């Protein structure tokens, strides 16, 4: 998160937006707090996975994109586990 130049407050805001976008895209029904958690954890997961293949996303937009991708992955994993 600090590598992307995003502070904690911005990470919460961007994480919430990324989680909300993923919620809308995946047609899931989660709360605001879960959206923030999904966005922040999703960004960490996506940055890790993208780093393994050599892709680096930086800045606010990169954090938003990584959060969206990661949150979508986490929602899909949660759905797979619930079934």
């Amino acid at each position: 998160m600090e590598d992307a130049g995003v502070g904690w407050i911005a990470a919460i805001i961007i994480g919430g937006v990324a989680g909300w976008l993923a919620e809308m895209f995946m047609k899931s029904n989660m709360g605001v707090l879960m959206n923030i958690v999904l966005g922040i954890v999703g960004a960490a997961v996506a940055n890790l996975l993208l780093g393994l293949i050599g892709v680096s996303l930086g800045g606010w937009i990169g954090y938003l994109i990584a959060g969206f991708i990661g949150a979508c992955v986490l929602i899909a994993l949660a759905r797979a586990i619930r079934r």
Side-chain angles (χ1 to χ4, degrees):
M1 193 164 36
E2 293 300 322
D3 295 338
V6 177
W8 285 103
I9 301 296
I12 292 171
I13 294 169
I14 296 169
V17 171
W20 177 76
L21 288 172
E23 178 185 51
M24 295 294 121
F25 182 74
M26 298 292 288
K27 295 185 180 21
S28 178
N29 189 13
M30 311 256 182
V32 173
L33 183 62
M34 195 61 175
N35 285 343
I36 294 170
V37 171
L38 279 173
I40 293 172
V41 173
V45 169
N47 279 327
L48 176 74
L49 293 175
L50 291 173
L52 291 175
I53 59 173
V55 176
S56 176
L57 299 174
W60 291 48
I61 299 296
Y63 192 78
L64 180 67
I65 292 169
F68 173 75
I69 292 169
C72 287
V73 168
L74 291 176
I75 290 171
L77 283 173
R79 285 182 180 171
I81 290 171
R82 282 190 211 167
R83 292 179 188 193

